[in-house]
Amino acid sequence: MCGIAGLVVAPGQAAPSPELGRRMNAVIHHRGPDDEGLHSDERALLGMRRLSIIDVEGGHQPLYGADRQVCLVFNGEIYNFRELRQELEKDGHVFGTHSDTEVILQAYLRDGVEAFAKLDGMFGIAIWDKRTQELILARDRFGEKPLYYSVDPQRLLFGSELKSLLQSADCPRAVDSDALRAYLAYGYVPAPSSIFRGVSKLPPAHYLRYRDGQVSLHRYWRPSLAHKTALSEAEASERLEELLDRAVASRLVSDVPFGAFLSGGLDSSTVVALMARHLAQPVKTFTIGFKEAAYSELDDARRVANHLGTEHHELVVEPDAVSLLEKLVWHFDEPFADSSAVPTFLVSELAGKHVKMVLTGDGGDEMFGGYDRYLRLMKLERLGSLRRPAAGLLTAAGAVLPNPYGERLSRVGERLRLPFQERYLSGVAVMRADIAQRLRAQAGGSDHFDLPALREAGSDLGAGDSPLDRAVAIDLQSYLPDDILVKLDRMAMAASLEGRSPFLQPDLVDFALSLPESYRVRDGRGKHLLREVAAKWLPPRAISKPKQGFAIPLEQWLRGPLRDLAADTFASRCFRERGLIDPQAASALLDEHVSARVDRSEALWQTLCLELWAQRFLNATAPRAH
């Protein structure tokens, strides 16, 4: 697990400055405090920071081919590197280290860009190939590891984090209005955009070629929901158990201490149960809770930990919300308003005191139909041709009922009028169109829930007519890589901790996506087959526990410890003059929330995160290490 950064100049340009490469490296020290390296020549800088997990002594980067014509830096882990190494050795490749990094290099030397599709792992890869004078960037299938880039006629900049690119004085810094619109809808900036016009994210499952000053993008893998298994439920259960066990086992390869996040919910508990089957010593598990009982999962996590005999670590936190928010803004680089980042950061800090790597349950909801919004969508879709009249009735009822009931009915009515993609995305969104338009006149409107990137990429993926499959296809291309996995990567890396997600093992994903709807959702509840399998290992409460989510008492915080920060921020001269948000509208939302007439906490949190990000990244020429 590392961070990478660098640049390649176009032919005929002056050689890049090694000092710039050192600055790009230094600003992501938290991603790899154990080691660093830098390659420099007349056209290329490739830098890396290393968190040593595999081959601690021999895994230094950059890594070179035998003739030093190919140079590679890599962020991530390759879980099938031993199998690939055996295959490469049979073909005559000689290895000088035991690292997964060298397996990538040797696979590239043999197969070129075809090597990326053979990797089971999470990765951001940069390869400078002097033989062809081209830079290759590659990102893993699901976007577990980040990779930004910016290209102009003189050079291409790249890095695991945006702050590395910003060390270059000519990196674009103009806010992208479309990205800002999407942020106000969803609380994150969807790929391939970034918050800055002229800086892009390499999409998951893609590689990039930069040659002779020109960029081309290529997709090397695509998930598919088209094929459905013919296995009986009993056969499918047996196959799922086998694949889950194999996925967890593959992610236990490590030369350093490791553990797991444990919430007491189905996904993380399943991962811990399978870890326990493969380890001679108790699994180290970590959970945090808040003093507000409704937001604490400590009892559920403790119950599972006792059942599985783990070495359990827990902490009840009363965080300094103001200073914590400033830390999160620094590590996310872009405006990011998923408030569950707070407990993710805190549990990462707790785990980081004991281990260097953790397994998580991320991806389980997408693979097995676990989100409540999937269930709500399926109910709405059953209305068929009755959707339009139902929308009218709900809107009329919402107009006469008091808040918050009236607002809820009006929102459902609004959703029923939208095309399918926007209808589903309206359930993913965290800000309503009318609220967005109050805060920013250019936002909201008829395209509030539209994500152009999904239109361009094609959100079908063979989903057919199944509402569940169509929703999962959208999440695989946006919510999972741009929210869930961004949150895990940045918050774990903020604590110099590696997070691994067994539910994203490719064979397991292929099988999960092949399950018919009835194997995933049954009797009004998601994850049916996963629950049936996990019942062999877990206490009944972990199987039946309703989905809680990693939430924080945001509504209370914005009437308490965050209230003054929000009021001062919205009243400040910088906020007024910046012009990203209407200051009077923001203050009005805060007044509405504080009066307890209505909950505006999500919109206020988004606005606050946006302005604190702007103070950190727009007011400074180049951000320095936090």
Side-chain angles (χ1 to χ4, degrees):
M1 183 65 63
C2 313
I4 63 174
L7 72 152
V8 172
V9 299
Q13 298 294 317
S17 163
E19 174 56 29
L20 173 57
R22 286 189 284 270
R23 292 202 310 272
M24 295 176 81
N25 255 0
V27 79
I28 54 170
H29 178 273
H30 54 279
R31 294 192 73 91
D34 297 334
D35 191 15
E36 68 175 318
L38 183 69
H39 165 84
S40 176
D41 65 31
E42 67 280 0
R43 286 196 58 199
L45 289 175
L46 273 71
M48 62 80 62
R49 297 288 327 188
R50 185 179 181 217
L51 180 68
S52 304
I53 302 292
I54 293 174
D55 193 9
V56 174
E57 298 299 324
H60 178 77
Q61 298 179 43
L63 200 63
Y64 298 89
D67 59 2
R68 297 187 68 85
Q69 292 299 295
V70 176
C71 174
L72 179 147
V73 289
F74 155 61
N75 163 35
E77 301 291 346
I78 306 302
Y79 305 117
N80 63 338
F81 79 99
R82 289 174 174 165
E83 296 88 339
L84 291 173
R85 178 179 175 132
Q86 291 176 357
E87 177 186 312
L88 288 160
E89 286 177 328
K90 288 179 181 177
D91 284 348
H93 289 256
V94 177
F95 286 79
T97 75
H98 299 287
S99 70
D100 52 351
T101 308
E102 190 173 7
V103 170
I104 302 171
L105 176 64
Q106 297 288 359
Y108 172 77
L109 292 173
R110 185 187 70 177
D111 301 326
V113 294
E114 301 301 319
F116 304 134
K118 300 175 182 178
L119 303 178
D120 170 13
M122 52 181 182
F123 54 82
I125 299 169
I127 300 171
W128 172 234
D129 194 332
K130 296 183 74 172
R131 302 170 305 180
T132 57
Q133 292 290 293
E134 67 180 353
L135 173 72
I136 305 290
L137 302 179
R139 194 173 176 207
D140 64 72
R141 284 173 168 84
F142 300 101
E144 293 182 75
K145 293 291 103 183
L147 198 50
Y148 290 85
Y149 70 95
S150 177
V151 62
D152 65 25
Q154 284 76 45
R155 54 91 185 105
L156 183 146
L157 289 164
F158 70 89
S160 296
E161 296 190 8
L162 182 54
K163 59 177 67 71
S164 283
L165 279 67
L166 293 174
Q167 299 308 301
S168 173
D170 57 356
C171 180
R173 286 171 171 79
V175 173
D176 185 321
S177 59
D178 288 336
L180 181 56
R181 178 188 64 79
Y183 167 76
L184 289 178
Y186 299 103
Y188 60 85
V189 177
S193 299
S194 83
I195 191 61
F196 292 128
R197 188 169 59 250
V199 179
S200 300
K201 303 181 187 94
L202 183 63
H206 281 71
Y207 66 89
L208 173 154
R209 289 184 185 273
Y210 177 68
R211 186 174 184 179
D212 296 331
Q214 301 297 314
V215 163
S216 61
L217 289 179
H218 310 267
R219 187 160 194 160
Y220 65 83
W221 178 82
R222 184 185 298 271
S224 175
L225 289 141
H227 169 72
K228 295 303 175 186
T229 182
L231 296 176
S232 69
E233 189 169 324
E235 292 169 330
S237 293
E238 184 177 340
R239 177 63 173 155
L240 177 57
E241 180 176 352
E242 174 191 340
L243 288 169
L244 284 168
D245 188 69
R246 190 188 305 169
V248 170
S250 70
R251 274 126 182 94
L252 295 177
V253 177
S254 173
D255 295 331
V256 297
F258 57 85
F261 291 162
L262 178 62
S263 69
L266 179 63
D267 298 339
S268 65
S269 299
T270 298
V271 169
V272 172
L274 289 167
M275 292 175 73
R277 293 174 63 174
H278 289 277
L279 299 177
Q281 69 275 21
V283 181
K284 294 180 172 67
T285 53
F286 305 92
T287 190
I288 61 105
F290 297 99
K291 62 180 182 179
E292 295 87 352
Y295 297 90
S296 182
E297 295 184 290
L298 289 175
D299 289 344
D300 291 312
R302 193 180 300 133
R303 185 181 297 108
V304 173
N306 290 337
H307 182 83
L308 297 174
T310 75
E311 179 190 313
H312 192 53
H313 303 263
E314 62 181 35
L315 181 67
V316 177
V317 294
E318 295 186 44
D320 179 347
V322 175
S323 64
L324 188 57
L325 185 52
E326 292 174 349
K327 286 182 182 177
L328 302 194
V329 164
W330 164 252
H331 284 290
F332 279 116
D333 283 348
E334 299 183 85
F336 187 85
D338 184 337
S339 58
S340 63
V342 172
T344 304
F345 174 73
L346 294 170
V347 76
S348 296
E349 276 200 323
L350 173 63
K353 297 174 182 176
H354 302 271
V355 298
K356 293 184 73 171
M357 182 270 282
V358 291
L359 270 60
T360 81
D362 291 297
D365 286 306
E366 289 82 3
M367 299 310 139
F368 296 98
Y371 289 124
D372 290 340
R373 63 174 180 264
Y374 292 157
L375 306 178
R376 292 193 295 268
L377 178 76
M378 292 169 72
K379 289 178 181 178
L380 290 178
E381 292 307 297
R382 292 193 193 108
L383 290 172
S385 61
L386 296 177
R387 277 199 301 270
R388 186 162 294 278
L393 290 172
L394 289 169
T395 302
V400 297
L401 289 174
N403 287 331
Y405 309 106
E407 282 194 352
R408 290 175 184 167
L409 289 179
S410 296
R411 286 202 298 273
V412 176
E414 176 186 311
R415 291 180 65 188
L416 288 173
R417 291 187 174 90
L418 297 169
F420 179 85
Q421 180 173 295
E422 285 81 0
R423 189 157 64 246
Y424 173 64
L425 287 170
S426 69
V428 180
V430 292
M431 188 184 292
R432 288 166 25 204
D434 61 316
I435 299 295
Q437 206 154 40
R438 284 176 63 183
L439 289 171
R440 183 173 173 81
Q442 304 93 320
S446 60
D447 62 349
H448 182 62
F449 301 118
D450 181 29
L451 281 183
L454 292 184
R455 290 201 313 267
E456 294 164 9
S459 60
D460 181 16
L461 303 186
D465 296 327
S466 163
L468 176 60
D469 279 352
R470 293 172 73 187
V472 168
I474 292 171
D475 280 349
L476 289 177
Q477 295 182 100
S478 181
Y479 183 68
L480 178 65
D482 295 328
D483 186 309
I484 298 298
L485 297 178
V486 167
K487 177 180 60 183
L488 174 61
D489 174 79
R490 304 306 193 280
M491 295 298 89
M493 286 279 83
S496 299
L497 181 75
E498 175 179 305
R500 300 180 178 180
S501 304
F503 282 108
L504 298 181
Q505 198 277 336
D507 292 339
L508 176 57
V509 169
D510 288 343
F511 180 73
L513 297 183
S514 79
L515 294 174
E517 197 171 277
S518 63
Y519 285 16
R520 287 173 287 165
V521 174
R522 187 171 300 178
D523 299 326
R525 195 168 67 166
K527 300 182 181 175
H528 168 71
L529 198 67
L530 180 61
R531 292 178 196 276
E532 293 294 303
V533 170
K536 300 176 182 180
W537 314 311
L538 299 176
R541 168 65 181 172
I543 302 300
S544 62
K545 179 179 180 288
K547 184 169 180 59
Q548 182 170 336
F550 218 6
I552 64 172
L554 192 57
E555 183 177 351
Q556 295 94 313
W557 283 10
L558 280 158
R559 292 185 180 122
L562 284 177
R563 174 182 174 178
D564 289 343
L565 174 64
D568 292 344
T569 298
F570 301 159
S572 70
R573 179 179 176 181
C574 285
F575 186 66
R576 292 196 311 271
E577 294 181 349
R578 202 181 309 283
L580 296 178
I581 296 293
D582 182 330
Q584 291 183 327
S587 296
L589 287 181
L590 182 61
D591 290 343
E592 292 170 14
H593 182 78
V594 170
S595 72
R597 294 194 307 271
V598 66
D599 179 7
R600 303 294 191 206
S601 56
E602 291 286 0
L604 291 169
W605 179 260
Q606 280 179 267
T607 305
L608 193 54
C609 288
L610 175 64
E611 176 56 21
L612 293 180
W613 167 81
Q615 291 175 14
R616 192 69 175 85
F617 286 90
L618 295 184
N619 291 358
T621 301
R624 301 302 182 197
H626 191 68

